Amino acid sequence: MGDFNLALVIVAIVVCVIVFLVNVYLLVNYQHPDDINQAYFPKFVVVLGLSVAAISILMLPADVANRQACRHAIYNGACNLTLPMKDLWLAVYILDAILVFFVIPFAMFYYEGDQDKSVGKRIKSALCWMVTTAIVCALILGILYGLIGKVDFTVRHLSSSTNSFPSTWEFSSSQQCIGNTHQCSAYTASPSSEKTWTMRTTFPEYVVALATIVGSVLFAIFGGVGIACLPLGLIFSFIRRPKAVITRSQYIKEATELGKKAKDLKKAAESLRQEEKGGSKGRKFRKNVKSVEKELLQLEEDVKLLEEMYPQGEKAEATWALTVLGYLAKLVLGILGLIVSVAWVGHIIIYLLVDPPLSSFLNEVFIKLDDIWGLLGTAAFAFFCFYLLLAVIAGAMVLGLRLVFITIHPMKWGATLMNSFLFNVGLILLSSISVIQFCSTAFAYYAQATAAQEIFGHTLESLRGIKYLYKYNVFQIAFVALAGLTFVYYAAFGWRRKKPSGRFQLST
């Protein structure tokens, strides 16, 4: 047993190191050239945030594996040697909340500060904004915790008299208890014996619960949209792919048009910069900045499409072949993703929304995979959790391009500024809490008796003022409804080639 626990600790350490190295690799390759050899603090926050998000997702499979150490314990106290998962959960999610509500906003305020100001003034300005945010959050948390920071458990008061053991043990529908003369009073307890047991939850658990509620709203919206648009977007990207290489004359015409649009966009950006220096940062200025960002993003997409349609250089044929293979890979991944998405939505309906559940479905699949090989079910379990997080990110990017009140922060290989990095890391961190809570509920049978269920199941679902959102499956219903609507929308319109919608568009 001790060897098993030691192996689990070693695996956890190795996984944490791998996650950290992978996130450093992503940062190095995604960062914008302008941020090389500078903005070290935002980079540290990005790596830390991504690591916390990835580790939090992997902690649920680790929690299940940690439970296995107790299942086959052959001596008392064996479970005392396992990982303290509840303390680890609370530590990770408190760190998650600190990063989302304090550290990342400070890093963004500092990075986006006026470059003409000194470092000290930028730090002072960022601290002022962060302290203001901290005071507001502390007041809200303190007031809510003082007023309704309690859990209400419904219990039934039971009592039973003691009878001597009979010589024969015979039970039937009319005789449920030991003895031939008395029925257990516990069995015949009236409904009026139900009571509400109230206790105050710990403050860390309450912080995690409120962060989960905020994340659950984002999860229901972005996740519901993303679970459909993620696979269908890949499939329809293959359908809308360029079918052949264009001629040189067509390329020159399109490149000339894009060059003119790039000059117009540069003039607009310079004009906005002059307005900013003049102190104009009102609502109209911010609206124009977002408009230019959107046009710039569309222009970059047009340039990428043009490069795909007319590859250049000595290896033009090889480049075109790789482009074709890339779209084939999108088709394959889209089909596999569609299967996973359908499995997710089907599992939510038959296991969470139907009472009693029609089947434990994916729970049974994971258990059978564990029977084949110990880590196979755990790996599949981790994959489904990660896929849900990817769906949330995909939904955020899709809606971010369509909703006016959401700032666009695209992630591009070799061209991602730190403010975009920080924004997306904050979104991932906030959503990861809800993904874990959702997975612990959706796979309650497979992840039973884990520390995650204690935090995200019993405590969260009994928290005063919040429990009704989970009692009536508000987030699950919203998730499935948005997934269905998005699927219908994409099936009807997603396969069509996008029409020009702005000034900076590839000419038709």
Side-chain angles (χ1 to χ4, degrees), residues 107-167:
M108 290 187 70
F109 290 137
Y110 174 78
Y111 181 83
E112 295 179 347
D114 193 343
Q115 300 295 326
D116 295 333
K117 293 182 179 179
S118 64
V119 175
K121 289 184 177 180
R122 291 171 64 189
I123 293 177
K124 182 179 179 181
S125 176
L127 279 174
C128 289
W129 282 103
M130 190 199 70
V131 169
T132 302
T133 304
I135 293 174
V136 173
C137 290
L139 287 174
I140 294 175
L141 287 173
I143 293 173
L144 290 177
Y145 181 71
L147 295 177
I148 56 175
K150 299 177 182 180
V151 288
D152 298 321
F153 296 106
T154 301
V155 296
R156 175 175 290 186
H157 178 74
L158 302 178
S159 62
S160 179
S161 58
T162 304
N163 290 326
S164 59
F165 291 128
S167 57

Side-chain angles (χ1 to χ4, degrees), residues 1-254:
M1 182 60 61
D3 294 338
F4 178 86
N5 298 330
L6 179 61
L8 186 59
V9 172
I10 294 174
V11 170
I13 294 174
V14 171
V15 168
C16 289
V17 173
I18 293 174
V19 166
F20 175 78
L21 293 177
V22 169
N23 289 327
V24 171
Y25 173 80
L26 291 175
L27 173 68
V28 171
N29 287 277
Y30 267 93
Q31 68 177 341
H32 197 280
D34 293 345
D35 288 327
I36 296 177
N37 298 324
Q38 63 176 355
Y40 291 109
F41 177 69
K43 290 178 181 178
F44 169 76
V45 174
V46 166
V47 173
L48 178 61
L50 289 175
S51 300
V52 170
I55 290 171
S56 65
I57 296 293
L58 293 173
M59 276 180 64
L60 191 52
D63 203 350
V64 174
N66 197 58
R67 179 203 60 193
Q68 303 282 351
C70 293
R71 179 188 295 179
H72 304 295
I74 57 177
Y75 61 89
N76 292 332
C79 293
N80 294 332
L81 301 177
T82 57
L83 296 176
M85 291 306 301
K86 185 175 181 180
D87 294 334
L88 290 175
W89 276 118
L90 292 176
V92 167
Y93 283 110
I94 290 296
L95 179 59
D96 192 313
I98 292 174
L99 286 171
V100 169
F101 296 108
F102 302 107
V103 179
I104 290 178
F106 171 79
M108 290 187 70
F109 290 137
Y110 174 78
Y111 181 83
E112 295 179 347
D114 193 343
Q115 300 295 326
D116 295 333
K117 293 182 179 179
S118 64
V119 175
K121 289 184 177 180
R122 291 171 64 189
I123 293 177
K124 182 179 179 181
S125 176
L127 279 174
C128 289
W129 282 103
M130 190 199 70
V131 169
T132 302
T133 304
I135 293 174
V136 173
C137 290
L139 287 174
I140 294 175
L141 287 173
I143 293 173
L144 290 177
Y145 181 71
L147 295 177
I148 56 175
K150 299 177 182 180
V151 288
D152 298 321
F153 296 106
T154 301
V155 296
R156 175 175 290 186
H157 178 74
L158 302 178
S159 62
S160 179
S161 58
T162 304
N163 290 326
S164 59
F165 291 128
S167 57
T168 58
W169 299 73
E170 296 180 357
F171 300 97
S172 64
S173 59
S174 60
Q175 183 64 38
Q176 294 87 7
C177 300
I178 298 173
N180 297 322
T181 57
H182 300 91
Q183 283 193 336
C184 291
S185 57
Y187 179 81
T188 58
S190 64
S192 61
S193 63
E194 287 189 351
K195 305 293 183 181
T196 298
W197 177 36
T198 300
M199 61 178 293
R200 183 170 291 279
T201 184
T202 63
F203 186 72
E205 288 182 335
Y206 193 73
V207 172
V208 172
L210 291 186
T212 303
I213 293 299
V214 176
S216 294
V217 175
L218 298 176
F219 167 77
I221 298 173
F222 295 145
V225 173
I227 198 95
C229 72
L230 178 59
L232 293 180
L234 292 172
I235 294 173
F236 292 138
S237 177
F238 171 80
I239 295 175
R240 297 190 302 265
R241 73 192 186 282
K243 303 298 192 297
V245 178
I246 61 176
T247 63
R248 181 175 177 80
S249 61
Q250 289 177 310
Y251 171 77
I252 293 175
K253 177 183 176 182
E254 298 292 353

Side-chain angles (χ1 to χ4, degrees), residues 345-361:
V345 175
H347 178 78
I348 293 170
I349 294 174
I350 67 177
Y351 184 71
L352 294 179
L353 299 185
V354 178
D355 189 21
L358 298 177
S359 170
S360 57
F361 191 30

